[in-house]
Amino acid sequence: MAQKHTELICINCPRGCTLQVEQQGEEINVSGNFCSKGIPYAKQEITDPQRVLTILMRPEGAERPISVKTDRPVPKALLKECAKAVYSTHPKLPVKYGDVLIEDLCGTGAKVIATADMKA
């Protein structure tokens, strides 16, 4: 079984450590981290990368879009599908900061939440 080497920049603290990730089968070894957050971050990024989706949504009848985001990371492989689902959803006004506009985005369990207010 071939060994895979990957280099990542950790985004969990301001330090931005360069992580060296060695993967052989199921075994993953991480080095280069200065804090304990680097190891779980690197393992997650190698096995199942996820991202919080921050995107614009156009409410029904609105002249401009409103900013929304997921309440938790979604699988990176589903970002395009999730974006299409957000673009095709048009909530009614008014929308308030914190309103849940989509309950379960593409079966991920993530909620899409308004990050601003918009009046009718």
Side-chain angles (χ1 to χ4, degrees):
M1 192 176 289
Q3 188 172 21
K4 181 180 173 187
H5 175 82
T6 306
E7 191 172 280
L8 301 171
I9 303 295
C10 185
I11 60 170
N12 281 299
C13 78
R15 188 168 202 145
C17 298
T18 301
L19 305 176
Q20 306 299 322
V21 184
E22 300 290 336
Q23 182 179 15
Q24 188 162 6
E26 296 293 316
E27 186 178 338
I28 299 172
N29 294 309
V30 181
S31 61
N33 56 301
F34 284 94
C35 74
S36 61
K37 296 176 184 178
I39 293 172
Y41 167 76
K43 289 181 177 183
Q44 175 75 44
E45 192 65 15
I46 292 298
T47 59
D48 183 26
Q50 298 192 12
R51 301 289 185 271
V52 170
L53 178 62
T54 303
I55 192 167
L56 296 174
M57 176 185 273
R58 189 171 297 275
E60 191 176 295
E63 292 183 21
R64 61 182 177 82
I66 188 168
S67 172
V68 299
K69 72 180 199 87
T70 56
D71 68 337
R72 68 182 80 173
V74 297
K76 188 176 175 183
L78 294 178
L79 284 178
K80 285 184 182 179
E81 181 182 336
C82 290
K84 286 179 185 178
V86 171
Y87 289 147
S88 66
T89 302
H90 306 285
K92 293 185 189 288
L93 293 176
V95 173
K96 294 182 180 175
Y97 173 86
D99 282 355
V100 176
L101 304 176
I102 299 176
E103 226 13 88
D104 180 13
L105 183 61
C106 298
T108 63
K111 296 175 183 177
V112 175
I113 298 175
T115 61
D117 295 331
M118 185 178 277
K119 296 178 183 179

